[in-house]
Amino acid sequence: MRKKIVAGNWKMNLNLQEGVALATELKEALAAEKPNCDVIICTPFIHLATVAGVVEGTVIGLGAENCADKEKGAYTGEVSAAQVKSTGAQYVILGHSERRSYYGETVEILKEKVDLALANGLKVIFCIGEVLEEREANKQNEVVAAQLESLYHLTEEQLANVILAYEPVWAIGTGKTATAEQAQEIHAFIRGIIAGNFSEKAAEEISILYGGSCKPSNAKEIFSKPDVDGGLIGGAALKCADFKGIIDAWN
Ligand code: 13P
């Protein structure tokens, strides 16, 4: 059985004190009521070491939102996969559409990042998804297939440490969610690509999350689809009650 997962992506929100307060609130909410899925929070780099202490020994996993495409050295302002790992984090988001579009992250750069993350013992939450014009031109399948090329060189053993997140760019932060049917259709297509490039077993085992304006009111319907294994949550991950509401969609 593949994992059901609800992961939060805090993006560039919350100062350290606010982040610690949110992680603490979530920890208390989940201690009172055990979740029926894996729960992960992905925070800005500066929160990681402190939040790691807050969530240690709980059901909450911790991740970064990015890491460098270089191992170490004179890359001012960058944070390496090894540095992320040393904070106590277990995950890293790579290939988010905001990184691809605002910071020019290409398939090749992401391949380097994926390799470094996995080599340093991090699990990767790898994001893919099309922009509105591509959806309108019915090109979403070829777009996600091309984005997945950053993973094709992995061994099946390495792929077992990758979670996919399908996030249509037109649904991120817009309040416009993909329908459950649209999500199911492309998730099934993505799973088929994994089957073709790896194996049926790898495809069956990989978790594919949906992201884009997911909230407590629509999570249950989206998660009810057979190829949707949970969500990667932006805005709604910044409020404990909303994030918990999405986690509860798995109950
Ligand atoms: P929103 O949930 O705010 O639409 O963001 C989704 C996202 O980009 C998560 O990575």
Side-chain angles (χ1 to χ4, degrees):
M1 268 289 282
R2 56 181 173 259
K3 284 190 164 145
K4 298 177 285 189
I5 299 166
V6 172
N9 173 9
W10 290 2
K11 307 193 179 182
M12 198 173 73
N13 294 295
L14 308 177
N15 67 26
L16 179 59
Q17 290 74 25
E18 290 164 343
V20 167
L22 177 58
T24 306
E25 198 185 350
L26 184 66
K27 167 172 123 168
E28 284 161 8
L30 297 182
E33 211 181 319
K34 202 173 167 300
N36 205 17
C37 62
D38 285 8
V39 175
I40 303 163
I41 51 177
C42 298
T43 80
F45 293 128
I46 62 139
H47 296 61
L48 289 173
T50 317
V51 170
V54 175
V55 300
E56 197 184 345
T58 74
V59 297
I60 305 170
L62 179 65
E65 300 170 12
N66 179 32
C67 71
D69 62 342
K70 301 286 191 299
E71 196 178 334
K72 64 173 177 177
Y75 301 101
T76 302
E78 287 293 290
V79 176
S80 72
Q83 289 172 323
V84 168
K85 178 74 178 173
S86 74
T87 65
Q90 309 95 33
Y91 297 87
V92 62
I93 295 174
L94 292 176
H96 193 281
S97 60
E98 289 149 19
R99 302 286 327 165
R100 290 178 192 267
S101 69
Y102 306 148
Y103 302 98
E105 295 194 359
T106 61
V107 167
E108 270 310 304
I109 291 172
L110 287 168
K111 183 170 174 276
E112 299 299 322
K113 292 191 177 197
V114 167
D115 286 346
L116 284 164
L118 294 174
N120 282 283
L122 293 168
K123 292 186 201 301
V124 173
I125 302 174
F126 191 76
C127 304
I128 53 179
E130 79 286 356
V131 300
L132 185 61
E133 302 80 72
E134 292 162 341
R135 167 68 62 167
E136 284 172 348
N138 202 28
K139 289 201 165 132
Q140 62 274 12
N141 287 3
E142 62 186 90
V143 170
V144 298
Q147 290 170 335
L148 284 168
E149 282 176 21
S150 301
L151 305 179
Y152 292 163
H153 66 291
L154 299 178
T155 65
E156 219 167 297
E157 198 182 355
Q158 288 175 310
L159 189 74
N161 288 313
V162 176
I163 297 162
L164 297 177
Y166 168 67
E167 301 201 302
V169 179
W170 47 271
I172 295 177
T174 58
K176 201 169 156 186
T177 327
T179 63
E181 289 69 31
Q182 283 174 320
Q184 168 56 27
E185 191 180 20
I186 195 155
H187 280 225
F189 172 77
I190 293 163
R191 204 176 297 285
I193 294 191
I194 299 298
N197 282 278
F198 295 89
S199 68
E200 285 291 343
K201 180 172 175 285
E204 239 348 275
E205 288 177 358
I206 197 162
S207 295
I208 309 177
L209 314 184
Y210 168 80
S213 297
C214 198
K215 32 186 190 274
S217 58
N218 60 26
K220 208 173 182 89
E221 194 192 345
I222 297 170
F223 296 176
S224 72
K225 295 295 176 187
D227 285 298
V228 179
D229 305 308
L232 181 57
I233 318 301
L238 298 173
K239 288 213 180 87
C240 184
D242 288 347
F243 194 54
K244 173 77 165 48
I246 296 171
I247 292 166
D248 289 346
W250 281 119
N251 289 348

